[in-house]
Amino acid sequence: MKHRWVGLAILCALGVFGRSARGQTTEQKSFEAKMFSIEAISHFGKDDHRFAGLTDAQKRSLVESRNNLIAMLQAIRHRRDVTRYASREMVRKYGSSTALAASIIDPETSILAAGVSDFALVDKETIKLNFFAVLSSEGNIVISGKAAVLKETDSGWRVSGFE
């Protein structure tokens, strides 16, 4: 009977410590989200006439191309395969995921955040997205702006180049 009480006391203690550690992790995440979140001060491309002129298919294409670009930047950040987000021509040009990622950003640079600031519907199968990235490079925070050209393929929108 004494062993049961000791065992029960140990389980209770572990439960208290576990909840405390979990609460600390949640508190830290909450603090980080509040402290380091990026706030939009104003919106890019806010033009009612421009939005009204877009078809549902164009809106869908713009969002899909934006999602592919952001996914590519996230893959670069987490050192995952970026070729799945690029066109066949771009993959052929660089030969490997590492070389493709290195052509976009220096290996010692980290992408902290990214967003689209403007777009252009070049033609039915081509979209140009102007975007910015907040980077950490050698201890400094830097903002970089570029344009990504995305082509529609049978498997979705793929990055075909940067300007």
Side-chain angles (χ1 to χ4, degrees):
M1 186 71 147
K2 192 173 189 180
H3 294 290
R4 285 187 186 157
W5 285 108
V6 171
L8 184 60
I10 290 171
L11 285 175
C12 287
L14 288 174
V16 169
F17 290 128
R19 264 187 254 122
S20 174
R22 209 174 319 120
Q24 188 175 18
T25 301
T26 303
E27 183 181 335
Q28 181 179 352
K29 287 181 181 180
S30 176
F31 172 78
E32 288 175 352
K34 290 174 186 172
M35 186 66 190
F36 300 112
S37 66
I38 296 174
E39 297 294 326
I41 305 300
S42 70
H43 295 279
F44 300 104
K46 191 175 181 180
D47 182 347
D48 295 337
H49 297 299
R50 189 174 184 196
F51 179 77
L54 296 173
T55 67
D56 287 342
Q58 289 172 325
K59 291 174 192 173
R60 197 169 31 259
S61 292
L62 285 164
V63 171
E64 288 173 9
S65 62
R66 179 246 180 234
N67 290 346
N68 188 71
L69 172 63
I70 297 300
M72 178 184 243
L73 297 173
Q74 288 173 334
I76 291 169
R77 168 67 176 102
H78 298 291
R79 300 191 192 308
R80 294 188 313 246
D81 181 24
V82 297
T83 59
R84 65 187 290 187
Y85 307 105
S87 67
R88 284 187 211 121
E89 296 79 21
M90 195 169 188
V91 171
R92 243 183 268 125
K93 179 179 177 181
Y94 291 100
S96 72
S97 180
T98 305
L100 177 54
S103 75
I104 299 166
I105 190 168
D106 293 332
E108 67 276 356
T109 301
S110 294
I111 301 171
L112 303 176
V116 171
S117 58
D118 200 6
F119 66 87
L121 300 168
V122 178
D123 59 42
K124 188 177 177 188
E125 298 175 350
T126 309
I127 292 175
K128 181 178 174 181
L129 298 177
N130 292 353
F131 71 98
F132 63 91
V134 179
L135 311 170
S136 174
S137 179
E138 299 178 6
N140 296 313
I141 301 296
V142 180
I143 298 177
S144 174
K146 288 189 176 197
V149 178
L150 292 98
K151 298 277 187 182
E152 187 174 29
T153 67
D154 53 348
S155 58
W157 289 92
R158 300 292 177 250
V159 176
S160 65
F162 290 95
E163 298 176 351

